Amino acid sequence: MKILLIVDSQPVFTGFIPSFEEACKELNAEMTFFIVDGDKSYEAQRIKLKNIICEENPNKLLCINDFCQNGNFLIDKEITQLTSCYIWFVDSMHLMKNFDYTLPFYSGISSFEPTDTTLSRKYNVPIQYVPVTAGKGLFCMNQTEEEKIYDVSFVGLVAGSKKRINVLNKIAEYCKLNNKKMICYGHFWHNSHWFQNIIGAFKFKRKYPILYSYVINKRISPKECASLYKRTKINLNIHIPQHSGFNCRTFEILGNENFELCDEQDNREIHFKNRKNIVFYHNADEAVRLLDYYLKHPEERKHIASEGAKFVNSKYKFVNSLKRVLDL
């Protein structure tokens, strides 16, 4: 079987490629990739994609999110007539454009966001919930104990997220007061230009002086993420308010037997057990209290981390998610 994967060129999306490659090997399937450049016109890219489909004759085409430029969709009706096309939304459909034109052409539609399934009636197409789980090689096979360098860490996009800033700032204040080691990687302020970076850092430091001392304003690779999780006592997960389901980081942290402190999401589909295989908090103050408790109870923390790994690695393998998305 041949599968053609369509992904955006941004690192947050190309970072999924190793997980897809591993899953395809488990399925004895051949996977090729088409990387979409969002800064360039879709017209030429669509022609190139059609030529690839005609030359390689894939059995299935899988899009990670839809691709639209000013109402111009990359995947048109002609492409969906060349091969069976599937789509897996890793951002909420509620935050995207109108899909009246494209969705009926797909053979299968999946989303990592549970509330997206309610759009089935609006677009008159079936939409299934499929979480984006963790790739095996990086996030599910290193359960050896490593030296914990940090007491707490966070990785993610923070700029523009009041919720994430609020939680991280509270925890930073706790860490400073209690002499704990904290580190945060991600996009905290704009830094595409050197002057923009200077101004952004200055404004952030002035507004959040304590949190600033724990921030490294850069994105890190999936491999670096996996290493950081292993070297952290408590890995913090903070979802954005627009999502009700669990993000892929939820599974990436747990897979290698790491302890996760996570804001509780819609748990009706996943069935995590609070304080058994993950620990949930509901506001910044509770996050601080739980952080303090589990830093003082390492054996309990280690047991929960172990149970978390068993849970996600037995029930939520990436290859199983891919099978559901592609109707295999």
Side-chain angles (χ1 to χ4, degrees):
M1 179 173 62
K2 293 183 179 180
I3 300 169
L4 177 59
L5 180 70
I6 315 296
V7 293
D8 191 274
S9 61
Q10 296 180 58
V12 67
F13 297 108
T14 56
F16 288 120
I17 288 179
S19 299
F20 280 102
E21 289 178 323
E22 291 171 351
C24 282
K25 286 182 180 178
E26 292 186 63
L27 296 171
N28 292 317
E30 177 185 341
M31 176 167 278
T32 55
F33 309 94
F34 185 87
I35 309 300
V36 180
D37 189 339
D39 294 327
K40 295 182 179 180
S41 170
Y42 282 171
E43 299 300 330
Q45 296 184 80
R46 186 184 298 111
I47 293 172
K48 183 178 179 181
L49 177 58
K50 289 178 181 178
N51 289 336
I52 291 174
I53 294 172
C54 292
E55 291 172 4
E56 299 187 1
N57 194 27
N59 302 97
K60 295 175 184 286
L61 179 150
L62 174 60
C63 272
I64 304 304
N65 287 342
D66 209 342
F67 297 92
C68 182
Q69 289 179 336
N70 300 318
N72 179 24
F73 289 91
L74 175 67
I75 307 299
D76 61 9
K77 186 175 182 179
E78 183 179 347
I79 287 180
T80 62
Q81 291 174 337
L82 294 174
T83 187
S84 297
C85 294
Y86 297 78
I87 188 166
W88 192 0
F89 288 96
V90 298
D91 287 314
S92 175
M93 295 171 65
H94 290 278
L95 304 177
M96 298 185 188
K97 303 290 183 181
N98 194 301
F99 300 108
D100 291 89
Y101 172 71
T102 57
L103 287 187
F105 300 150
Y106 285 97
S107 300
I109 305 165
S110 305
S111 176
F112 94 116
E113 169 56 41
T115 61
D116 284 354
T117 60
T118 62
L119 296 174
S120 290
R121 181 176 298 179
K122 177 180 179 180
Y123 296 114
N124 196 31
V125 292
I127 301 171
Q128 66 172 340
Y129 167 64
V130 182
V132 181
T133 53
K136 183 173 68 173
L138 279 179
F139 297 106
C140 302
M141 295 182 68
N142 181 14
Q143 295 176 15
T144 57
E145 188 67 25
E146 293 188 18
E147 180 184 1
K148 305 299 183 186
I149 299 174
Y150 304 106
D151 293 298
V152 57
S153 72
F154 173 80
V155 179
L157 172 65
V158 177
S161 175
K162 293 181 179 179
K163 176 184 175 182
R164 287 179 168 176
I165 283 286
N166 181 44
V167 174
L168 290 173
N169 199 47
K170 285 275 189 179
I171 289 178
E173 291 171 351
Y174 163 86
C175 288
K176 182 176 182 181
L177 182 64
N178 294 276
N179 195 30
K180 302 299 181 182
K181 292 183 178 180
M182 177 182 183
I183 191 166
C184 303
Y185 284 98
H187 185 59
F188 285 77
W189 59 84
H190 298 303
N191 59 354
S192 57
H193 186 271
W194 68 269
F195 185 70
Q196 189 181 49
N197 184 42
I198 292 174
I199 296 300
F202 174 78
K203 290 182 177 179
F204 191 91
K205 184 177 181 180
R206 184 174 61 180
K207 193 169 185 179
Y208 307 104
I210 298 176
L211 176 58
Y212 175 83
S213 64
Y214 299 113
V215 167
I216 298 179
N217 188 48
K218 73 169 188 177
R219 296 180 175 90
I220 59 176
S221 68
K223 185 176 181 179
E224 291 171 317
C225 282
S227 176
L228 177 64
Y229 299 154
K230 288 299 295 181
R231 293 178 292 128
T232 300
K233 294 177 183 177
I234 294 182
N235 293 276
L236 188 64
N237 192 0
I238 312 170
H239 291 83
I240 64 173
Q242 295 89 340
H243 294 161
S244 69
F246 290 98
N247 57 24
C248 60
R249 184 165 290 111
T250 310
F251 303 91
E252 292 171 352
I253 292 173
L254 293 173
N256 280 338
E257 208 168 280
N258 306 306
F259 181 90
E260 181 171 350
L261 180 59
C262 176
D263 52 334
E264 186 168 14
Q265 298 292 96
D266 186 339
N267 202 28
R268 289 173 293 180
E269 296 283 348
I270 304 296
H271 305 304
F272 283 116
K273 293 183 179 179
N274 189 25
R275 304 202 184 194
K276 299 294 184 182
N277 47 34
I278 195 170
V279 174
F280 292 135
Y281 65 90
H282 301 89
N283 54 59
D285 290 330
E286 185 181 17
V288 171
R289 290 195 300 271
L290 290 168
L291 176 72
D292 180 70
Y293 175 85
Y294 284 105
L295 285 176
K296 293 175 179 176
H297 295 81
E299 291 304 316
E300 189 173 350
R301 188 179 72 232
K302 185 176 180 180
H303 176 74
I304 292 173
S306 177
E307 291 300 308
K310 292 176 184 177
F311 178 73
V312 299
N313 291 334
S314 63
K315 295 183 178 294
Y316 294 99
K317 296 178 181 179
F318 189 88
V319 65
N320 292 338
S321 293
L322 183 59
K323 288 169 67 176
R324 287 185 60 199
V325 168
L326 294 176
D327 293 331
L328 298 177

